[in-house]
Amino acid sequence: MRRSISLLAACLVSFGLAAPLDQDSKLGDVDILNYALTLEFLESKFYSEGLSNFTEANFLDAGFSKEFYKNLKGISQDEKDHVAFLSTALGDKAIKEPSFAFPVKDAASFVGLSSVLEGVGVSAYLGAAPAITNKDYLTAAGSILTVEARHASYIRAALKQKPFPAAFDTPLGFNQVFSLAAQFVTGFAEGTKVPFKPFPKLTAVPSSGDKFCAGKGSVTFKDAQGENKPDKVYAVFYSGLETYYVQVTNSGDKDYTASIPGPDFATKGQSAPKGQTYVVLSTADGKDTKANDENIIAGVGILEIGC
């Protein structure tokens, strides 16, 4: 099961994260609520489609319990309720539901992708919170955030992962989360305006084996060089509220490799990355410059660091 999650996480590669976007200040609360509504549309569709395609027997055969299947239905209803709540709050300003497609083949891969999406959902609400000006909206978003965090912990536990691997969650920026959502969107309704942009994709896989371990081994970024070939490139890892910069080496014509940070790498006051960890490629070294939307080359890859 852990192998399947690593492979799924490596496939979720077309979104980035990091510092707040310059354009964030131009976004109003309506834009932010529609951003949240898009994510809830995605999750609601994901669960309703998955529960239609896979039966209780399919989940039992994949090693999950009857109680787990029942709780998946509860999660699905939560996402429907979030859609209804945000749609009502926005009224005639609410966007129409996009169309989606999800790369799941069976019940196991469905749960694996569910874990990743729930983790990203938590990070999306966390990253958006500082940009919300209306306190009532902020409270509503926080109320949804805590439920998404419960979903994430429950599914992680079902996958035999640590339900709360770190003391802090990781915030994601608007463009970065949009890049994630965009890979599942097959079309927006006519007239929909999207004030975000995706980053070039980044495929992150273990250089050897099938696990990402803090302080052990390395991660390979496939076909990441692109047209621009800067002299120095850094893998920027985000875990909780910590950021780690590791200079990469070329491991092929278009591939880069970087060591996975561990306890020995961490600076004073930092801990090693844990759980669902994000990584971008950037020209920023963390000393003279910090990673931001202007210097990100590709991203984001997802690493499940559990050993």
Side-chain angles (χ1 to χ4, degrees), residues 24 188 198-199 292:
D24 286 359
F188 284 100
F199 288 98
N292 58 47

Side-chain angles (χ1 to χ4, degrees), residues 86-125:
L86 291 170
S87 297
T88 299
L90 284 161
D92 59 6
K93 295 180 181 179
I95 64 166
K96 295 181 179 179
E97 183 174 6
S99 54
F100 301 101
F102 303 101
V104 293
K105 299 179 180 179
D106 49 33
S109 62
F110 171 82
V111 179
L113 183 53
S114 169
S115 177
V116 175
L117 292 181
E118 292 290 355
V120 172
V122 171
S123 295
Y125 276 99

Side-chain angles (χ1 to χ4, degrees), residues 33-302:
L33 289 182
N34 269 318
Y35 161 83
L37 178 56
T38 301
L39 298 178
E40 297 299 340
F41 273 138
L42 185 154
E43 289 188 307
S44 180
K45 183 65 174 181
F46 172 75
Y47 283 107
S48 62
E49 188 175 281
L51 290 171
S52 295
N53 292 338
F54 306 117
T55 65
E56 179 179 355
N58 294 143
F59 287 98
L60 290 172
D61 289 344
F64 301 102
S65 67
K66 287 186 176 181
E67 186 68 18
F68 179 77
Y69 178 74
K70 176 182 176 181
N71 285 331
L72 279 182
K73 290 183 176 180
I75 292 174
S76 180
Q77 186 59 53
D78 285 347
E79 304 302 356
K80 292 177 182 178
D81 290 345
H82 293 166
V83 167
F85 176 81
L86 291 170
S87 297
T88 299
L90 284 161
D92 59 6
K93 295 180 181 179
I95 64 166
K96 295 181 179 179
E97 183 174 6
S99 54
F100 301 101
F102 303 101
V104 293
K105 299 179 180 179
D106 49 33
S109 62
F110 171 82
V111 179
L113 183 53
S114 169
S115 177
V116 175
L117 292 181
E118 292 290 355
V120 172
V122 171
S123 295
Y125 276 99
L126 185 60
I132 300 174
T133 58
N134 185 303
K135 291 183 179 180
D136 291 335
Y137 293 163
L138 180 59
T139 299
S143 183
I144 295 175
L145 163 61
T146 58
V147 173
E148 298 291 356
R150 290 186 179 94
H151 293 171
S153 293
Y154 178 75
I155 294 172
R156 287 182 62 84
L159 290 168
K160 306 296 189 284
Q161 297 173 333
K162 291 184 178 180
F164 36 88
F168 301 93
D169 282 316
T170 307
L172 300 180
F174 291 105
N175 279 355
Q176 294 80 11
V177 175
F178 172 72
S179 298
L180 167 64
Q183 68 177 303
F184 302 111
V185 175
T186 56
F188 284 100
E190 185 177 355
T192 300
K193 295 182 179 180
V194 182
F196 311 111
K197 63 179 181 180
F199 288 98
K201 78 171 187 176
L202 182 65
T203 303
V205 298
S207 298
S208 60
D210 60 3
K211 296 180 181 179
F212 295 108
C213 300
K216 300 178 182 179
S218 59
V219 53
T220 296
F221 306 102
K222 294 289 188 179
D223 298 325
Q225 205 159 341
E227 297 180 359
N228 298 320
K229 300 178 181 180
D231 293 334
K232 292 185 178 180
V233 174
Y234 296 82
V236 186
F237 297 84
Y238 300 87
S239 178
L241 301 179
E242 306 286 8
T243 307
Y244 313 82
Y245 292 79
V246 181
Q247 188 169 353
V248 305
T249 58
N250 281 100
S251 56
D253 291 339
K254 296 183 179 180
D255 296 348
Y256 287 126
T257 297
S259 299
I260 300 174
D264 295 337
F265 178 90
T267 60
K268 185 178 180 180
Q270 284 186 313
S271 59
K274 303 173 184 177
Q276 189 160 306
T277 299
Y278 306 92
V279 59
V280 301
L281 295 184
S282 171
T283 57
D285 60 7
K287 298 176 182 178
D288 297 327
T289 56
K290 303 296 184 181
N292 58 47
D293 289 350
E294 300 304 318
N295 55 42
I296 289 176
I297 299 171
V300 166
I302 301 181

